[in-house]
Amino acid sequence: MHRRRGVGMGRGSNRFQKKANEMKATSISSALETVEKLETKLTEFAKRHSKEIQNDPAFRQRFLQMCAPLGVDPLLSKKGFW
């Protein structure tokens, strides 16, 4: 008795790979959009709380901890938040 190996994988695998690539691109795009929104919100927060960030070392440290995972360092930025 002969066994068929890989039944159905020959013709449909291209379709699955195409769908996987589409999903991956959507995920990456969504992640980038989320990071951009978060950077915008951090900028708004920094503008709103600039005095606290400048004058309170503990507040500034917590703010920088929020920025660090994104690789954003608003205190070293040429444009600056304030």
Side-chain angles (χ1 to χ4, degrees):
M1 193 173 232
H2 295 275
R3 291 179 60 192
R4 296 177 78 186
R5 297 179 191 220
V7 175
M9 291 303 294
R11 290 183 290 209
S13 64
N14 247 357
R15 185 179 69 208
F16 292 123
Q17 186 62 45
K18 182 179 177 184
K19 186 62 175 176
N21 289 340
E22 288 174 11
M23 291 172 66
K24 185 177 177 181
T26 300
S27 290
I28 291 171
S29 175
S30 177
L32 290 173
E33 183 178 320
T34 301
V35 169
E36 288 175 3
K37 286 179 182 178
L38 187 54
E39 287 176 345
T40 301
K41 293 294 184 183
L42 284 171
T43 300
E44 292 170 4
F45 181 87
K47 287 178 182 177
R48 203 172 327 123
H49 298 283
S50 63
K51 288 183 182 178
E52 293 96 336
I53 293 170
Q54 290 175 355
N55 297 328
D56 184 352
F59 191 86
R60 180 173 45 248
Q61 183 63 32
R62 288 190 301 262
F63 175 69
L64 291 175
Q65 287 173 345
M66 288 191 303
C67 295
L70 297 174
V72 175
D73 190 353
L75 302 178
L76 292 178
S77 174
K78 291 181 182 178
K79 292 180 184 176
F81 284 107
W82 29 82

